[in-house]
Amino acid sequence: VLYRDPVHDFGFFRYDPSKLRLTRSAEVQLNPAGLKVGAEIRVVGNDAGEKLQILAGTIARIDRNVPEFSTIYNDENTFYAGAGAGTSGGSSGSPVLNKEGHAIALNAAGQEGTASAFFLPLERVQYSLELLQAGQPVPRGTCLAAFLFKPFDELIHVGLLRRHEQEILSVHPNVTGMLIVDSVLCEQQILKPGDILLRLEGDVCIEFVGLEAVLDMRVGGFVQMLVCRAGVELTVQTSVADLHAL
């Protein structure tokens, strides 16, 4: 095992291609930007224990909060994509390919009794791979808080002001919501559940890719956040812990 992400469900293995028997090695190009609503996809894996199944689907959304599993493990601080691909056990971790044959996501889970399938985007996968290829460590930071993406209408009910909504839409006219703190660890004494993230290091931050990128760059240091807490703007500074050390 070369690397295992401490939160998201992916890792990297190193193998010797010369040891393969009756199997040709192949390369699948990563294309995180290809994960878009309406993209036609194929999920290639061993679905339901069958050797080599190819399931078809169409990406329906790319801003779903993490699915909740009936286990002690649940992902956090990332979007998931959704499609009616009908995946089941055996295809977890399978590449989600677009029509060009590029991997745009990883199959992560499905919902029993429905055709719903949930896919992990590849931004942090590509970030980690590029650092590993360069022989560098992969910094992963956390502010000891789990965020969720909520639509503006729900955020208004917990204190978001209309001017905040207009400020966000002036920067990102197509966005439908923002990040809000869902839960914190007991060591996190600055952020509170219900805090709405307005700005991170002075910039508008309304999605998880930007949040994780800043936290990964600040491991062992601090980040400044502007949050809205029950209708009141607060500028806070919180430390960034090393996810690998937790």
Side-chain angles (χ1 to χ4, degrees), residues 184-199:
V184 298
L185 296 182
C186 59
E187 294 86 354
Q188 173 54 266
Q189 300 295 313
I190 305 297
L191 296 173
K192 306 294 182 184
D195 285 350
I196 303 168
L197 181 60
L198 301 177
R199 291 182 177 270

Side-chain angles (χ1 to χ4, degrees), residues 58-91:
T58 303
I59 298 297
R61 59 182 303 188
I62 58 175
D63 60 354
R64 189 195 193 281
N65 283 311
V66 296
E68 295 183 1
F69 306 113
S70 57
T71 65
I72 60 173
Y73 168 79
N74 279 289
D75 207 343
E76 63 180 34
N77 292 339
T78 181
F79 283 128
Y80 270 68
T87 59
S88 60
S91 60

Side-chain angles (χ1 to χ4, degrees), residues 176-246:
T176 60
M178 301 170 65
L179 301 181
I180 183 173
V181 177
D182 180 57
S183 63
V184 298
L185 296 182
C186 59
E187 294 86 354
Q188 173 54 266
Q189 300 295 313
I190 305 297
L191 296 173
K192 306 294 182 184
D195 285 350
I196 303 168
L197 181 60
L198 301 177
R199 291 182 177 270
L200 179 63
E201 291 292 300
D203 297 322
V204 171
C205 181
I206 45 86
E207 39 79 31
F208 292 107
V209 174
L211 173 65
E212 286 198 298
V214 170
L215 294 177
D216 290 348
M217 291 189 297
R218 299 290 196 280
V219 175
F222 295 85
V223 292
Q224 186 179 87
M225 297 181 177
L226 177 65
V227 301
C228 178
R229 181 178 298 169
V232 178
E233 287 187 10
L234 297 173
T235 298
V236 300
Q237 189 176 66
T238 184
S239 59
V240 180
D242 183 359
L243 267 173
H244 293 296
L246 298 182

Side-chain angles (χ1 to χ4, degrees), residues 9-125:
D9 193 12
F10 74 88
F12 293 96
F13 298 84
R14 175 183 282 143
Y15 71 96
D16 184 353
S18 66
K19 300 294 179 64
L20 294 177
R21 295 186 65 254
L22 305 177
T23 301
R24 291 182 300 170
S25 61
E27 179 180 348
V28 178
Q29 182 177 334
L30 302 184
N31 181 18
L35 185 61
K36 299 177 180 179
V37 173
E40 297 293 328
I41 59 165
R42 297 294 185 270
V43 182
V44 182
N46 301 321
D47 195 72
E50 293 291 330
K51 184 176 181 180
L52 191 55
Q53 292 289 305
I54 301 177
L55 302 177
T58 303
I59 298 297
R61 59 182 303 188
I62 58 175
D63 60 354
R64 189 195 193 281
N65 283 311
V66 296
E68 295 183 1
F69 306 113
S70 57
T71 65
I72 60 173
Y73 168 79
N74 279 289
D75 207 343
E76 63 180 34
N77 292 339
T78 181
F79 283 128
Y80 270 68
T87 59
S88 60
S91 60
S92 296
S94 298
V96 179
L97 307 178
N98 62 9
K99 62 182 181 180
E100 286 80 23
H102 300 159
I104 60 175
L106 290 176
N107 183 44
Q111 187 171 352
E112 292 185 2
T114 74
S116 298
F118 308 124
F119 308 137
L120 177 69
L122 296 183
E123 282 86 1
R124 303 326 283 165
V125 175

Side-chain angles (χ1 to χ4, degrees), residues 161-182:
L161 304 179
R162 289 295 182 184
R163 65 177 178 84
H164 293 146
E165 179 183 3
Q166 293 304 315
E167 289 171 359
I168 298 300
L169 290 174
S170 68
V171 180
H172 301 282
N174 296 321
V175 75
T176 60
M178 301 170 65
L179 301 181
I180 183 173
V181 177
D182 180 57

